[in-house]
Amino acid sequence: MMKRPFIIVAAVLLMTLGVLAASQWRQHQSPPDLKTSYLFPEARAMAPFELQDQHGSSFNNDSLKGKWSLIFIGFTSCPDICPTTMGKLAAAYADLNKEAPLQVVFISVDPERDTQDKLASYIEFFNPEFVAATAPHSELFPLTRQLGMIYAMVGEGEDYTVDHSASMVLLNPKGEKVAVVKPRSEGKSLPQIRLQEMVADVQAIQSL
């Protein structure tokens, strides 16, 4: 009569040891050889945020759950960095989804000019499966800060521009920040995201 409780206790003990062993393995495995990204030592949770996407729907923390997310900030009137980066993301989208489902999220930091219709037209040009979202600056400032990005309005009147970070942030399916994809410059050229290096880094991180 004493065998059944003993078997249950033994099974629970084995499961616990298995979980601990897996945790220790993850902590001690060698980090991937990343070319253009920085992998955080530990995943970082995101504070609550609320945006509106190109369809007029809410985009918030729950929208990050269940898939990987690659976030980039900018504005639709950007003359160089934004269209170049969005074009690269569109070209790499199939490869970025090979290891696991991934969504590309473009956050506009120019909410005065980037209306819902404008965001919809802009993202449709690159890939209709991408997400384009924005919010008032009161929501954007804390969100970009926690993503490790910055932006600033430059100039006055209707012809103002926006200076902004050119990096991207990778989030895991739990909606946690896990890495930053950084642009690199060669010689006197402007820093740019290197397409093949970005894809290789994201796939390496996803496979951990």
Side-chain angles (χ1 to χ4, degrees):
M1 296 295 293
M2 297 296 293
K3 289 184 177 180
R4 185 175 179 83
F6 175 79
I7 292 173
I8 294 174
V9 171
V12 171
L13 180 59
L14 287 172
M15 290 177 61
T16 303
L17 290 174
V19 171
L20 289 174
S23 177
Q24 290 295 319
W25 178 83
R26 284 193 297 268
Q27 291 178 9
H28 292 92
Q29 64 176 319
S30 299
D33 182 20
L34 303 179
K35 303 298 183 184
T36 188
S37 306
Y38 170 75
L39 180 66
F40 297 127
E42 295 182 359
R44 302 178 180 182
M46 292 282 291
F49 67 90
E50 187 76 31
L51 309 176
Q52 186 179 64
D53 70 14
Q54 74 267 33
H55 306 298
S57 301
S58 174
F59 188 88
N60 53 34
N61 299 76
D62 289 338
S63 308
L64 302 173
K65 304 292 179 62
K67 62 180 76 68
W68 292 81
S69 301
L70 198 55
I71 296 181
F72 174 72
I73 70 170
F75 61 115
T76 64
S77 303
C78 178
D80 40 40
I81 294 176
C82 294
T84 299
T85 302
M86 294 300 290
K88 290 180 178 180
L89 288 168
Y93 190 55
D95 289 333
L96 289 170
N97 275 274
K98 279 185 177 180
E99 290 288 335
L102 177 145
Q103 64 178 347
V104 171
V105 182
F106 171 76
I107 297 178
S108 169
V109 290
D110 187 11
E112 285 77 14
R113 293 184 296 194
D114 286 346
T115 61
Q116 180 185 332
D117 289 341
K118 196 167 185 180
L119 286 177
S121 298
Y122 185 78
I123 216 69
E124 179 77 22
F125 176 79
F126 294 103
N127 190 320
E129 295 184 23
F130 288 2
V131 176
T134 193
H137 291 296
S138 58
E139 185 74 24
L140 290 172
F141 277 129
L143 174 59
T144 53
R145 278 199 301 270
Q146 70 166 322
L147 288 170
M149 299 174 174
I150 59 172
Y151 73 94
M153 323 310 285
V154 179
E156 299 178 356
E158 296 181 356
D159 295 328
Y160 70 86
T161 188
V162 186
D163 286 347
H164 62 89
S165 300
S167 58
M168 291 183 281
V169 176
L170 181 66
L171 295 93
N172 65 21
K174 294 181 181 179
E176 301 168 328
K177 297 178 294 180
V178 294
V180 177
V181 182
K182 301 178 178 181
R184 294 197 300 108
S185 61
E186 294 182 359
K188 297 181 180 180
S189 63
L190 290 173
Q192 295 184 16
I193 297 292
R194 306 295 169 180
L195 184 59
Q196 293 182 344
E197 293 179 353
M198 173 192 66
V199 172
D201 284 2
V202 171
Q203 289 179 342
I205 295 169
Q206 288 176 326
S207 65
L208 291 176

